[in-house]
């Protein structure tokens, strides 16, 4: 291995990004342009061979998980990858949530972020290599210390084995520290896996079942005060006047002041802050958004579709001619509403600023954003911001946006005390950022043999990405001034409106089927509501339109829904295979009288999924009894977590299918809490069967792909049950 | 001054009597296992036992629990001494994000204390006040059913521990 000092580290990192060798055995000090010190716990006598692992004198193996744990089981998954090659049982590791450091970037993004169902896929080779290289060093050190050849040694769960003797890894760290790795250690073949692919338990289940897992809201630091923000009901409005007299007189209240998003109330306890916030009287600036209701959104989107002057996405073949020559054509329009993510843990962040040091505690999907944002607001150097990751009480994309960290920092700066900012559930549901509403229109044609030959699809609605981009810019480009950031953010919005489709907004609308003549058009219609990624992003609505339309086309072609899908997915063989397997399951199902089966399939986040929903309609109410999901996600690192992610995706998607939908009334969100923004509960939750088929590829996503097919599978079943083709979410019978 | 028992320990507080039990437990007694999800009695994240019954404590003023016995998730079991439901939660890999799970387990424990062998519908009825946004319902149910398969042992334990 090349050992030229300055570039060595860079080289290693570059290769880490592409999944090759990594940083084991590398000194972290002494390089010129030295990287920041690792934010790891210093423990007397511990060996820290890289950013991910520490071996403690008592042979505890500490693992730093670089991806945010929001329930998707990534901590278990990543510990399994490193543990497989290090030869340590993931359940025996001391697991820590990593702080911010360049070594913790997500190889799929080049930033320290968690999302896009990417973590296992992105770290699959990297963390195994880290484990293998670390084990290699320990073996080499053991060989030296014991005076035997390394080939005479083996390992078993944290111990070096020699004949009938066992030595803890920790016995060799002193020697290991002086060694450096010559070449990447070989990885195990899949046939030798002992943890990957096994039904291991979750590493975080006991902490989460005993109330001892720490979430952002559980953080408590000395002299911490609580803040609640009084916010505008209509997005973007500034306070024109504030009367805080009676709020200030409330018990426990320390201070009331304006921040960029509203009026902050700081008190000794959250309860006091919340009570006092109700007494603050604000006159808000009036906004053009006040002219907008839910019906306005839909009307404006329809007008944009009718005008047809959007931005063209992918275009293939000659769509007009194909539609002309088709044996059957059919056109339909599908609607999906605005949604809130509503993770169970409301947004919160704890910030302490002391002279030129800041500490931030929260659970966030984008730790990379924290130092830059806090440094900018608190006016302290980026390297003086320490980030303490906690468990995330749900993410679903919502915790990729740093709005609460910005607010908490502003408040802590003015208050001069450590602050825990807590959003109420009402804030959560009404303030966004949201999953945008969408109106989608698809016109498709089949030939006389049931081949889809034309697919003309358009979507109108707000773009998903630019707001998130805007919120991360100040964090990622600390050298940019505020004016420049505003300029760049506006430029990106304008770009997506006029020149290019925001891929997140149209993904899933057109990719899965063979149709040789394809046109995708996007109309950005922005009413200035904040938007961001919501579990499965664009797929969360495009799959509903696409898979409903596919069922409609199958009917138009006079074909069975599964046969039609199989015939038209010849170019997407992995999807074709899950359709085939799911179709076989469906053929064997024998639903009771009055129950109907609906089918849908979708590819997202590199994973192929087909779902069958068993549905009945009783007294005008849609009831989902059972969902069978067939998926191919490549190597399932932990099959039980794959199943739980699919169960979760289906249930999250069913809430959106049956209930979800925010309404605007004069520019304000009407819903406010779980009484009028209901969630699926246990009594409505179906039995869910998950069938994992493995095509033998490396792992692909599982956190999101279970969600997209569920809405169309249910809608397709409702059609069979009632003859009503429901093309709007949430599904409501006439 | 309001007095009550918290996980078997006699405690007192002089906070505003309207303060919800949840916030007294979290912010004054620093037991952070019980969670805030909605603040309106709609999600169950804040569920504790008040004299053995599952209560949504974000809407229970502290004055209403004077002289009563409160059990929180911390009082039900600990990592070294798991309650059977907590062990089942691990065994069936129930938690995802985990945020709702203290409330789920407290609701389930109150159910089993009163009815150690509930039917599927009875589980649904007892648990439908608790939202899990991560969608752990199938596993929550499976874990409760696993514990209830040992209904006699559960009942004996609940009696020994004085929860019934
Ligand atoms: S926080 Fe108490 S019911 Fe939701
Ligand atoms: S485990 Fe996340 S809300 Fe239930």
């Amino acid at each position: 291995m090349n050992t030229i000092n300055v570039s060595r580290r860079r080289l290693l990192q570059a290769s880490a990004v592409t999944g090759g060798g990594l940083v084991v055995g590398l000194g972290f000090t002494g390089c010129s342009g030295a990287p920041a010190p690792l934010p790891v716990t210093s423990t007397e006598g511990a060996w820290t061979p890289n950013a991910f692992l520490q071996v403690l004198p008592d042979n505890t193996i500490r693992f730093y998980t670089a991806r945010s744990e929001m329930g998707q089981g990534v901590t278990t998954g990543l510990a399994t990858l490193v543990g497989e090659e290090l030869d340590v049982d993931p359940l025996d590791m001391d697991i820590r949530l990593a702080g911010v450091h360049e070594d913790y970037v997500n190889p799929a993004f080049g930033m320290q972020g968690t999302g896009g169902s990417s973590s296992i896929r992105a770290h699959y080779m990297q963390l195994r290599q880290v484990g293998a290289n670390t084990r290699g060093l320990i073996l080499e050190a053991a060989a030296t210390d014991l005076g035997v050849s390394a080939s005479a040694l083996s390992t078993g769960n944290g111990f070096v084995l020699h004949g009938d003797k066992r030595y803890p890894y920790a016995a060799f760290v002193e020697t290991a520290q002086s060694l450096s790795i010559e070449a990447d250690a070989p990885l195990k073949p899949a046939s030798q896996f002992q943890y990957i692919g096994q039904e291991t338990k979750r590493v975080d289940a006991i902490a989460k079942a005993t109330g001892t897992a720490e979430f952002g809201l559980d953080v408590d630091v000395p002299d911490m005060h609580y803040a609640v923000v009084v916010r505008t009901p209509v997005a973007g409005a500034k306070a024109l006047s504030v009367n805080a007299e009676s709020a200030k007189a409330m018990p426990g209240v320390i201070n009331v002041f304006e921040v960029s998003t509203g009026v902050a109330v700081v008190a000794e306890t959250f309860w006091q802050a919340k009570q006092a916030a109700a007494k603050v009287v604000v006159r808000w600036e009036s906004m053009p958004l006040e002219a907008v209701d839910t019906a306005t959104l839909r009307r404006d989107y329809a007008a944009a579709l009718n005008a047809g002057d959007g931005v063209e996405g992918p275009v293939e073949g000659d769509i007009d001619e194909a539609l002309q020559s088709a044996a059957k054509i059919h056109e339909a329009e599908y609607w999906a509403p605005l949604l809130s993510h509503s993770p169970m843990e409301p947004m919160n962040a704890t910030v302490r600023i002391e002279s030129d040091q800041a500490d931030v505690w929260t659970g966030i999907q984008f730790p990379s954003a924290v130092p830059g944002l806090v440094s900018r607001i608190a006016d302290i150097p980026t390297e003086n911001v320490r980030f303490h990751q906690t468990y995330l009480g749900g993410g679903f994309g919502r915790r990729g946006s740093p709005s609460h960290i910005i607010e908490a920092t502003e408040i802590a700066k003015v208050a001069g005390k450590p602050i825990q900012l807590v959003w109420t559930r009402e804030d959560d549901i009404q303030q966004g950022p949201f999953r945008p509403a969408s109106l989608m229109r698809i016109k498709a044609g089949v030939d006389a043999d049931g081949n889809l030959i034309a697919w003309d699809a358009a979507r109108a609605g707000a773009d998903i990405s630019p707001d998130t981009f805007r919120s991360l810019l100040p964090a990622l480009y600390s050298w940019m001034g505020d004016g420049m950031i505003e300029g760049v953010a506006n430029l990106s919005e304008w770009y997506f409106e006029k020149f290019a489709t925001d891929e997140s907004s149209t993904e899933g609308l057109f990719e899965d089927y063979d149709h040789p003549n394809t046109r995708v058009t996007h109309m950005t219609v922005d009413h200035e509501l904040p938007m961001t990624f919501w579990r499965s992003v664009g797929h969360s609505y495009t799959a509903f339109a696409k898979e409903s339309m596919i069922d409609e086309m199958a009917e138009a072609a006079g074909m069975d829904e599964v046969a039609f899908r199989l015939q038209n997915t010849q170019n997407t063989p992995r999807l074709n295979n899950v359709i085939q397997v799911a179709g076989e399951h469906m053929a064997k199902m024998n639903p009771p009288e009055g129950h109907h089966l609906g089918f849908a399939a979708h590819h997202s986040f590199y994973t192929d999924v087909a779902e069958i929903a068993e549905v009945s309609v009783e007294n005008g109410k849609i009831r989902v009894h059972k969902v069978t999901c067939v998926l191919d996600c490549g190597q399932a690192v932990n099959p039980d977590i794959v199943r739980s992610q699919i169960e979760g995706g289906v249930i999250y998607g069913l809430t959106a299918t049956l209930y979800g939908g925010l309404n605007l009334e004069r520019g304000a969100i009407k819903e406010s809490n779980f009484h009028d923004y209901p969630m699926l509960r246990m009594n409505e939750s179906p039995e869910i069967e998950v069938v994992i088929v493995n095509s033998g590829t490396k792992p692909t996503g599982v956190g999101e792909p279970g969600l997209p097919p569920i809405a169309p599978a249910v809608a397709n079943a409702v059609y069979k049950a009632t003859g009503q083709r429901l093309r709007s979410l949430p599904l409501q019978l006439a | 001054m309001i007095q009550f028992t918290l996980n078997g320990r006699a405690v007192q507080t002089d906070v505003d009597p309207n303060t919800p039990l949840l916030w007294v437990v979290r912010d004054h007694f620093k037991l952070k296992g019980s969670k805030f999800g909605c603040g309106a009695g709609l999600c169950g994240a804040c569920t504790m036992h008040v004299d053995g019954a599952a209560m949504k404590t974000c809407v229970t003023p502290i004055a209403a629990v004077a002289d009563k016995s409160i059990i929180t998730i911390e009082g039900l079991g600990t990592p070294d001494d798991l309650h059977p439901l907590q062990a089942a939660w691990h065994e069936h890999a129930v938690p995802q994000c985990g945020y709702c799970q203290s409330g789920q387990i407290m609701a389930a424990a109150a159910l089993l204390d009163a009815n150690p062998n509930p039917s599927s519908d009875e589980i649904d009825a007892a648990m439908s006040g608790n939202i899990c946004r991560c969608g752990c319902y199938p596993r929550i149910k499976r874990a409760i059913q696993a514990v209830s398969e040992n209904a006699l042992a559960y009942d004996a334990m609940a009696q020994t521990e004085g929860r019934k």
Side-chain angles (χ1 to χ4, degrees), chain A residues 70-71 343-345 392-394 396, chain B residues 94-101 104 131-136 140:
Chain A
M70 43 192 158
M344 281 313 292
E345 180 191 17
L392 285 67
F396 315 120
Chain B
V94 173
Q96 290 187 33
C97 84
Y99 193 79
C100 73
Q101 300 297 349
Q104 303 280 2
I131 295 172
C132 176
R133 187 63 164 143
C134 297
C136 302
I140 292 172

Side-chain angles (χ1 to χ4, degrees), chain A residues 70-71 201-202 208-209 215 217-218 220 226 270 341-342 344 425 640 644-645 647-648 673 680-681, chain B residues 20 23 26-27 30 32 35-38 42 86 91 95-97 99 105 128 131 133-134 137 139:
Chain A
M70 43 192 158
K201 304 284 173 246
R202 289 180 67 112
K208 289 174 174 179
F215 296 89
L217 202 77
D218 304 335
D220 201 355
Y226 294 82
F270 166 73
H341 308 68
S342 295
M344 281 313 292
R425 179 57 62 192
D640 195 48
S644 77
Q645 281 307 291
E647 290 158 11
N673 207 320
L680 202 81
R681 292 170 185 266
Chain B
W23 298 108
R26 284 183 55 91
D27 292 348
K30 307 285 184 195
K32 303 286 189 176
K35 306 302 184 195
F36 162 59
C38 68
L42 299 164
Q86 292 169 320
E91 186 57 32
Q96 290 187 33
C97 84
Y99 193 79
I105 290 174
S128 62
I131 295 172
R133 187 63 164 143
C134 297
Y137 303 124
R139 285 162 190 259

